[in-house]
Amino acid sequence: MGWLGAAIPEEYEGGGLGYEALCVLAEELGRAVAPVPFAASIALGAEAILAAGTEAQKREHLPRIARGETIATVALGAGPGEPTQARVQANLRDGRISGEAWPVPDGGVAGLAVVAARDGSGVTLVLVDLNGAGVTRTAIETLDPTDPQARLRFDNAPATPMARGWDAVQGVLDRAAVLIAFAQVGGASACLEMAAVYAKERHAFGRPIGSFQAIKHRLADVYIATELARSNAYYGAWALETGSAELPLAAATARVSASEAGFFAAKENIQVHGGIGFTWEMDCHVFYRRAKHLGLVLGSVRHWKDRVVSELEMRNAA
Amino acid sequence: MDFDDTPEEAAFRAEARAFLSANARPKDRRGPTARYGDTDEGDVGAAREWQRKKAEAGFACITWAKEWGGRGGTPMQQIIFNQEEANYDVPPNIFLIGLGMCLPAFITYAKPEQITRYVPPAVRGEEIWCQLFSEPSAGSDVAGLRTRAEKRGDEWIINGQKIWTSGAHYSRNGLLIARTDPNVPKHAGLTAFFIDMKSPGIEIRPIHQMSGASNFNEVFFTDLRVPDANRLGAVGQGWKVAITTLMNERVAGGEPRRPVPADLLELARLVPGEDGRPAIQDQAVRERIAEWHAQAAGVTYTRLRTFTALSRGETPGPENSIGKIVSASLQQQIASFGLDMLGMAGGVMDEALTPMHGLFQNALLSSPGMRIAGGSDEILRNIIAERVLGLPGDVRVDKDKPFNQQAGSR
């Protein structure tokens, strides 16, 4: 239906509808906990190629991503830690890449990866065909089974250069942070609706549990956190759409709110449901897993809080 | 959603800026904030003068009709003017309760000739209005109020007491809710009036707040005589008038109050942390600043979303309670954390010794009031839960019983 390519410009055979449309879509995917590679292929992969790719790379790959023929992903480093330069382990030499990257979102099914690699003094982004020579992939068991990840091993795999420098990587992360914030807000809204419906139906002590202030006030707090996160995400989308210099701060702010609201809504949804919320049959745990997972895929909330303050410091110094 | 001005909005913004820069001084963010203090006679005079200038230039009550002294403008223009005015050092807005809450309700229920008589002088700052709802035993449960109004001929005789009345001492008019029938359930026995605050039978006493300031009053009525012509709405309809007023309160309130996260960032650069380096290098400090920045930004952009809805002609709903709930607690948390950063010197109020003119200390003492005034945190959470999320009301023991048969009603 062309949804995945909604924000890919028409010149690359996308929908050319802009980020507002993509954000609506992201929110709905989050609301439905849809098992589709949105974060990997669209929020990260396609956006990375748009932001850091050469004209030839865009012409070759974006139309296929928009049509859903190719799934793309981004591989920024290996092992525990935040998305920083220190975590990058792969090395680039003479157009070939060697080393490891994990966890890589949808790395098992993706055909194409934007990979961060060391090249002498700094870091560069390169494009790697994951079905090509020198690539080994191993599936990783994950907290959220609907959001699979993989471990990638590169042994002299052919790699074509994209933009250089950590700023380019950060630009990719900022764009993804805004888009994924909408998926997080969608998940939080779904949890809030589930909890409110259940609180109206479930009776205890002779009345609906939703008439107790202990439940009401908790759900009011979930509503507040979700709406603040939604507003920050809108602002991020505006910064993304208009190419504003506000993007780094807007993206970090959106991610902090959305990661916190997403997990808060998911955990309180289980709490309002009580014992039944802890069972496999109820969807509560699906949202809970997805919420925490989305809060980690671009680095933890602690990392993004530090980015918020760094951005505020820069602007105050200016 | 659009964060940019349209060409018309940009033109209006330029007009507002031209007026402001010609008539006021830009705000100095680094200067002392007023102690959360009293509004003295000088402040009232300056505020009236500023309101008169705004009204003459068409910047007072921008959305109201020109014949009332307004501009006949759009909600977006009012928002733009407020944003721009916030950058200037202008007198305290002592008209907010009147123009933002009492008069919208007054206009809804008053007769045309009353509107012509009362609205224009209020817009010009000549007549200030106060709101006479809360009572010592009717705070969050304002429908439990006991001030009696008894009909005698063409007049009503009022006896009782109001409390937390901002600006009663400089107000000319007041919007009063009184109990006209104690024999019916509490919400059904109320009636609204507007009264002349200079009438005999009214005594006003300031309340000394925990912060040291006196922004509120107690107002006592002893055989106050009010003509029946000053009744707003039908007898027994007072609760509807009250709700009209209070919904406007939710829209009018919720502006962030200092210290804001940027103030905490500034303080964290000034004071040393545990290891002697500036506190801003402490990861725990950074996390709190970021967390609160994200909340404050969320409030700002939520307001902009409300404004976008307003400019599309939608009515603001109970979701506006968010701004007040979040901003009030933010101010208190930031103030407390700021004092923690000052450590053993956090309790020093002496402006010569403490950084940033004692902003954090003063806010610590004034912020508890913000979480109570204009709908407490608890009442606002009930409103969100019941009116936005559709959760059932609490079990009530008071709703259908006549007021004079309720526990604690006498």
Side-chain angles (χ1 to χ4, degrees):
Chain A
M1 297 183 74
W3 285 353
L4 292 179
I8 295 177
E10 282 170 314
E11 55 188 305
Y12 306 120
E13 299 175 36
L17 298 174
Y19 286 100
E20 211 162 311
L22 188 57
C23 290
V24 170
L25 176 68
E27 187 176 338
E28 289 310 312
L29 291 174
R31 190 183 285 277
V33 222
V36 295
F38 170 79
S41 199
I42 302 305
L44 282 163
E47 284 298 309
I49 294 169
L50 264 174
T54 63
E55 188 56 34
Q57 286 166 338
K58 292 180 198 175
R59 294 210 173 280
E60 184 180 351
H61 300 293
L62 290 176
R64 288 191 204 152
I65 295 173
R67 289 195 296 267
E69 292 165 14
T70 297
I71 293 172
T73 189
V74 167
L76 294 183
E82 303 294 352
T84 60
Q85 215 160 331
R87 215 173 135 266
V88 176
Q89 288 190 4
N91 285 295
L92 181 71
R93 189 178 293 170
D94 303 329
R96 288 179 181 268
I97 186 173
S98 296
E100 265 205 324
W102 68 271
V104 177
D106 284 300
V109 293
L112 188 67
V114 175
V115 185
R118 296 181 182 280
D119 75 346
S121 54
V123 166
T124 189
L125 287 170
V126 292
L127 206 51
V128 179
D129 176 1
L130 295 183
N131 296 317
V135 178
T136 317
R137 351 178 176 200
T138 320
I140 294 174
E141 194 180 337
T142 56
L143 185 68
D144 175 6
T146 66
D147 222 347
Q149 298 182 332
R151 181 172 191 159
L152 303 184
R153 167 99 227 142
F154 305 110
D155 293 297
N156 277 316
T160 58
M162 305 173 75
R164 283 202 86 245
W166 188 256
D167 282 354
V169 180
Q170 193 59 60
V172 169
L173 288 165
D174 288 347
R175 295 162 84 97
V178 172
L179 297 172
I180 289 175
F182 279 91
Q184 292 170 305
V185 167
S189 301
C191 288
L192 178 60
E193 283 160 25
M194 268 178 90
V197 166
Y198 189 75
K200 284 180 238 182
E201 288 169 356
R202 172 77 177 176
H203 281 64
F205 306 103
R207 52 201 267 208
I209 62 168
S211 66
F212 290 107
Q213 289 192 337
I215 302 286
K216 273 188 185 163
H217 290 189
R218 189 180 305 241
L219 292 185
D221 285 339
V222 172
Y223 171 78
I224 291 167
T226 305
E227 289 309 302
L228 296 185
R230 188 190 308 278
S231 299
N232 283 331
Y234 278 137
Y235 188 63
W238 170 83
L240 190 55
E241 179 80 50
T242 57
S244 165
E246 293 274 312
L247 181 61
L249 178 61
T253 304
R255 175 140 183 94
V256 167
S257 303
S259 294
E260 295 199 323
F263 188 63
F264 180 44
K267 78 187 171 82
E268 297 309 326
N269 184 32
I270 295 178
Q271 189 67 20
V272 167
H273 278 78
I276 194 77
F278 187 61
T279 62
W280 188 266
E281 286 70 25
M282 287 296 292
D283 282 345
C284 299
H285 73 101
V286 180
F287 284 98
Y288 183 76
R289 291 161 183 268
R290 173 67 65 93
K292 194 66 202 173
H293 211 66
L294 288 176
L296 298 168
V297 69
L298 300 177
S300 77
V301 75
R302 199 168 61 110
H303 171 76
W304 287 89
K305 281 181 175 173
D306 198 73
R307 280 199 45 79
V308 165
V309 179
S310 299
E311 288 296 327
L312 289 174
E313 283 182 290
M314 269 194 271
R315 119 179 2 208
N316 261 37
Chain B
M1 176 163 168
D2 199 346
F3 291 90
D4 294 317
D5 284 339
T6 64
E8 297 79 39
E9 285 164 1
F12 178 79
R13 193 181 292 279
E15 198 184 325
R17 272 185 196 163
F19 167 77
L20 286 162
S21 63
N23 291 285
R25 269 196 319 232
K27 202 178 264 176
D28 175 12
R29 294 290 295 178
R30 300 195 178 267
T33 50
R35 280 211 175 217
Y36 288 92
D38 306 319
T39 309
D40 62 25
E41 268 179 45
D43 294 329
V44 174
R48 285 182 193 275
E49 177 60 19
W50 178 238
Q51 185 68 18
R52 186 187 61 75
K53 270 191 193 165
K54 277 169 35 176
E56 276 174 6
F59 290 114
C61 299
I62 286 169
T63 60
W64 291 7
K66 281 187 179 157
E67 62 265 32
W68 298 346
R71 185 191 185 91
T74 65
M76 231 22 240
Q77 289 179 333
Q78 181 68 62
I79 288 150
I80 289 168
F81 186 82
N82 292 353
Q83 288 171 343
E84 294 300 323
E85 191 184 28
N87 298 324
Y88 286 83
D89 189 14
V90 296
N93 187 353
I94 59 176
F95 309 98
L96 199 61
I97 289 170
L99 299 176
M101 297 175 224
C102 298
L103 284 167
F106 175 81
I107 290 166
T108 306
Y109 293 96
K111 298 174 188 73
E113 62 274 19
Q114 291 172 325
I115 292 174
T116 309
R117 154 65 188 85
Y118 286 96
V119 176
V123 173
R124 291 193 298 267
E126 290 157 16
E127 292 185 357
I128 302 172
W129 284 61
C130 62
Q131 178 192 302
L132 300 155
F133 289 12
S134 297
E135 296 186 7
S137 59
S140 287
D141 181 16
V142 72
L145 60 86
R146 299 175 191 185
T147 293
R148 282 285 276 133
E150 287 166 292
K151 188 89 186 282
R152 198 174 299 161
D154 276 348
E155 284 185 335
W156 293 84
I157 310 299
I158 315 277
N159 282 287
Q161 182 195 348
K162 296 289 173 179
I163 196 169
W164 315 125
T165 313
S166 307
H169 50 302
Y170 51 72
S171 289
R172 177 65 215 234
N173 301 300
L175 180 60
L176 169 79
I177 310 284
R179 185 162 304 280
T180 41
D181 187 356
N183 301 305
V184 294
K186 61 203 276 190
H187 295 86
L190 305 176
T191 303
F193 303 91
F194 64 95
I195 64 172
D196 179 348
M197 292 298 288
K198 307 298 173 198
S199 317
I202 298 181
E203 188 197 346
I204 297 166
R205 292 184 204 157
I207 295 171
H208 197 197
Q209 294 150 217
M210 64 166 275
S211 58
S214 295
N215 302 115
F216 306 111
N217 301 277
E218 292 178 287
V219 180
F220 297 86
F221 305 112
T222 310
D223 293 329
L224 168 69
R225 296 162 59 176
V226 177
D228 188 50
N230 284 26
R231 177 165 45 80
L232 291 172
V235 173
Q237 262 207 344
W239 184 243
K240 264 182 86 173
V241 181
I243 289 294
T244 309
T245 315
L246 295 174
M247 278 320 294
N248 282 298
E249 180 165 52
R250 318 261 189 262
V251 181
E255 291 285 353
R257 291 191 160 221
R258 293 182 72 191
V260 293
D263 292 313
L264 194 59
L265 180 74
E266 189 182 334
L267 184 68
R269 286 171 150 170
L270 293 173
V271 302
E274 192 96 23
D275 58 3
R277 295 185 304 163
I280 188 63
Q281 293 178 32
D282 179 338
Q283 205 55 38
V285 170
R286 296 174 75 83
E287 282 199 30
R288 304 307 289 273
I289 293 174
E291 181 185 329
W292 290 327
H293 166 79
Q295 287 183 24
V299 170
T300 302
Y301 304 135
T302 300
R303 285 173 71 81
L304 290 178
R305 279 170 60 199
T306 307
F307 298 159
T308 306
L310 265 175
S311 71
R312 289 191 193 128
E314 294 167 29
T315 313
E319 61 277 5
N320 289 295
S321 306
I322 290 180
K324 222 273 294 185
I325 294 182
V326 178
S327 299
S329 275
L330 259 184
Q331 187 196 21
Q332 189 172 38
Q333 288 176 285
I334 292 173
S336 171
F337 194 75
L339 298 197
D340 287 345
M341 280 199 319
L342 290 163
M344 295 173 74
V348 174
M349 290 283 285
D350 189 327
E351 289 196 18
L353 292 173
T354 194
M356 301 174 72
H357 309 280
L359 171 65
F360 291 82
Q361 286 84 357
N362 283 310
L364 187 86
L365 295 178
S366 68
S367 55
M370 289 304 298
R371 294 185 50 203
I372 300 163
S376 69
D377 284 2
E378 290 73 21
I379 289 294
L380 296 182
R381 282 186 169 85
N382 283 349
I383 288 173
I384 289 177
E386 292 175 20
R387 307 217 8 227
V388 181
L389 302 178
L391 295 181
D394 212 330
V395 171
R396 298 284 292 261
V397 295
D398 60 345
K399 211 161 184 177
D400 303 318
K401 210 188 262 187
F403 182 73
N404 56 11
Q405 289 171 29
Q406 291 191 7
S409 70
R410 50 182 85 233

